Every structure is written in C-alpha cells, then in structure tokens.
Amino acid sequence: MAHGKVTIAVDEYSSNPTQAFTHYNINQSRFQPPHVHMVDPIPYDNPKPAGHTRFVCVSDTHSRTDGIQMPYGDVLLHTGDFTELGLPSEVKKFNDWLGGLPYEFKVVIAGNHELTFDKDFMAELVKQDYYRFPSVSKLKPEDFDNVQTLLTNCVYLKDSDVTIKGFRIYGAPWTPWFNGWGFNLPRGQSLLDKWNLVPEGIDILMTHGPPLGFRDWVPKELQRVGCVELLNTVQKRVRPKLHAFGGIHEGYGIMTDGYTTFVNASTCTVSFQPTNPPIVFDLPNPSSS
Ligand SMILES: Nc1nc2c(ncn2[C@@H]2O[C@H](COP(=O)(O)O)[C@@H](O)[C@H]2O)c(=O)[nH]1
Ligand SMILES: [Mn+2]
Ligand SMILES: [Mn+2]
C-alpha cells in the first residue's frame, strides 16, 4: 500500500520544550522504556561486525583537538562547533587536523560558533559594527566570504546530503535561538521550515543540536532545550537509523527510541574541556552498496 508524505505541523508545545517533554511523557509515555533507553558505547576494541560500516562521531571540539584520541573507524562525523568563532585561522587548523586523520570519509556540519559560515549572521554583524564579537571585526569580508572552501579535507554539508558507502547522510546546522549566535532560528515554523528540507530516505541525520528529550537536558537550568519540531521530523517522517548531534555539551551520550539511535557526541564538557571520547557506531551496510 502506498503511503502519502507525512506532514509535520508546528507542535502546540514548541516554544516550551521542558513542558513538551513532561506533556508527552505523561500522556504518551513517549520518552519511557522499554523503547526509549540509554545505550552503552561500543568499546573501541570491539571488532566491527562483517558487512558493517563504523562511524566515529565527534562534536563541539571548539579548536581543542590536540589531545583527542581518535579510534578506528571508516567515516568521521563532526556535528559542528569545531571552532570558537569561525575565524579562518581556526578553520585552517581544524582542516589540518582532519587531514591527519585516517578515515576514508569525513563529513562535517557547522554549529552556532561557526559565525563566518552563516552569511546572514555576518551581514547583520557588519551592520552592528561587530560590537558583540570584536575579534571577528578584524576580518575583512574577503577573508570569510568563502570560508567553507578552507574545509578541503572533508565533505561539508549545509541543508544538503551526500551518499557515502551506500549511506545517505544529511546535515544541517540550525539550532533554536540562544543568545544570538550563528545559525540560530526561532522555535516553531522557522526551524520546521529547515527540517522540512530533509528528504525521506535519509539513513544518517547530522544536526548541531539535539531533538527534544534525547540528550538535551541542561542541568544548570533544569531545562530540556531540544527542538520539538526536530523530534517530530525524526520520529514521524524521516526515521533515520542514526541521528548524530552535539550542541548541549552536558548531554554527551547515546540513547535509542527503539528505531533511531541518538548520539550526542560533544567532545567538550560544559566547561569546554575536550575530555569526552569520540563515540563509535556500527551500521549494517545498505544492501545495494
Ligand atoms: N538553556 C540553554 N543552554 C544552551 C543552549 N544552547 C547551548 N546552551 C548551553 O551552552 C553550552 C555551550 O553551547 P555552545 O553552543 O556555546 O558551545 C551548552 O552545553 C549548554 O550548557 C540552549 O538553547 N539553551
Ligand atoms: Mn559547543
Ligand atoms: Mn553550539
């Protein structure tokens, strides 16, 4: 039987993720076992099962890559905040680090700290005479106009996808507005418009921030901050096998809803110490690859 395309509407609790979590947990047991549970990381020395691809997930390295011990794997996924401000010097250093890593493929998206990758953000910043980010003001527009071209050692995704080893991987940098950084958008329709760009048939979704309820808890504020529309898009429409993200450093870890595995791979802790190890994840190769 042919199924029509699922349309996601703005959630009635979109603007208050903590309330959304409570509501959907009490009324729909949406975040409860047995389907939803924590997942132990795969030890690095576990052999990769035959016919599988090993993904190595990192995020939020924030120009602090020097001491990170990188494990064996096939494909590196970095879900944004690889710099502090998106300065070209930081991007070059990150690209050099990528160039020294042994993975066959490396896929990267931006996060809210990659200011120079967000053209609309930079246009606004210039209008405001850079008063919020003085060190960015030292840059000439030609230094950052094509900053993504400095990423020569990876595939850079922005509202786009790539097929690697038969896996269709989609990446997008957007996060709910918080303190007016790059790629920030208001909760609700603005973010849903971006998630509506994710095609069906995606195996791996890379976003900078978490969806509601999965590794999105901010303890210092006792708040859930994940995007409700992102959760609905993941669970009701796209249904990737793996959703990799970071963004909320305190949320480092792995969960599943019984179908999608959610990996918050934030390398940096909330105090920006790069001590959380990369997370590896094995997926069975698509049958046609
Ligand atoms: N209450 C919220 N806190 C947030 C949000 N996004 C980020 N954060 C906090 O900041 C750190 C670091 O994030 P970064 O983007 O500056 O690297 C993160 O771990 C949280 O503690 C948010 O939307 N709401
Ligand atoms: Mn970060
Ligand atoms: Mn961030």
Side-chain angles (χ1 to χ4, degrees):
M1 189 172 71
H3 293 275
K5 187 178 186 307
V6 173
T7 303
I8 307 297
V10 172
D11 195 281
E12 63 177 310
Y13 295 98
S14 173
S15 60
N16 189 335
T18 307
Q19 193 186 8
F21 180 87
T22 307
H23 173 81
Y24 289 121
N25 217 14
I26 290 172
N27 294 296
Q28 298 178 2
S29 301
R30 196 162 167 188
F31 303 101
Q32 291 292 320
H35 298 300
V36 175
H37 58 86
M38 295 289 294
V39 175
D40 289 332
I42 299 172
Y44 294 164
D45 56 1
N46 264 28
K48 182 178 67 167
H52 283 59
T53 296
R54 179 159 288 187
F55 294 87
V56 176
C57 304
V58 289
S59 193
D60 299 79
T61 48
H62 287 290
S63 295
R64 293 161 168 80
T65 49
D66 288 352
I68 305 175
Q69 298 296 307
M70 297 302 293
Y72 161 80
D74 302 302
V75 183
L76 178 76
L77 304 177
H78 192 303
T79 45
D81 279 4
F82 45 89
T83 66
E84 295 202 56
L85 294 167
L87 299 173
S89 55
E90 292 182 282
V91 180
K92 281 182 198 149
K93 183 178 172 229
F94 175 68
N95 188 59
D96 288 347
W97 176 72
L98 288 177
L101 298 177
Y103 309 109
E104 197 179 344
F105 297 97
K106 300 148 193 176
V107 188
V108 173
I109 64 168
N112 55 301
H113 278 251
E114 276 71 65
L115 302 178
T116 56
F117 285 67
D118 183 342
K119 302 298 166 220
D120 294 338
F121 177 90
M122 289 305 287
E124 273 304 307
L125 199 62
V126 170
K127 275 194 226 157
Q128 295 163 12
D129 207 16
Y130 302 94
Y131 75 94
R132 279 193 60 207
F133 297 101
S135 53
V136 181
S137 74
K138 296 194 182 87
L139 301 173
K140 298 189 282 297
E142 56 268 33
D143 294 335
F144 59 80
D145 270 351
N146 292 307
V147 69
Q148 68 279 4
T149 61
L150 297 174
L151 291 175
T152 58
N153 291 321
C154 64
V155 177
Y156 170 67
L157 296 180
K158 177 176 169 277
D159 302 320
S160 57
D161 67 279
V162 63
T163 300
I164 287 176
K165 296 172 99 56
F167 295 93
R168 203 166 166 204
I169 305 172
Y170 186 95
W174 312 99
T175 43
W177 195 95
F178 182 68
N179 291 342
W181 283 76
F183 298 110
N184 275 185
L185 286 174
R187 293 179 184 274
Q189 191 64 52
S190 300
L191 277 166
L192 179 57
D193 287 345
K194 296 300 182 189
W195 309 140
N196 281 342
L197 300 174
V198 185
E200 274 85 15
I202 292 299
D203 299 300
I204 299 173
L205 178 63
M206 298 170 68
T207 60
H208 178 53
L212 174 72
F214 291 88
R215 316 307 304 164
D216 69 331
W217 176 247
V218 176
K220 64 191 173 207
E221 291 171 10
L222 300 179
Q223 278 184 10
R224 297 267 166 198
V225 301
C227 177
V228 187
E229 277 66 42
L230 180 57
L231 177 69
N232 288 336
T233 299
V234 167
Q235 290 190 318
K236 296 181 178 177
R237 187 173 68 77
V238 177
R239 291 172 54 82
K241 296 178 191 82
L242 172 64
H243 182 185
F245 53 86
I248 301 306
H249 300 184
E250 308 88 314
Y252 171 84
I254 315 170
M255 283 179 81
T256 180
D257 65 2
Y259 185 88
T260 299
T261 301
F262 298 86
V263 171
N264 180 332
S266 295
T267 298
C268 279
T269 63
V270 70
S271 52
F272 286 77
Q273 300 303 306
T275 50
N276 292 327
I279 291 175
V280 301
F281 193 76
D282 296 332
L283 277 175
N285 295 333
S287 45
S288 57
S289 72

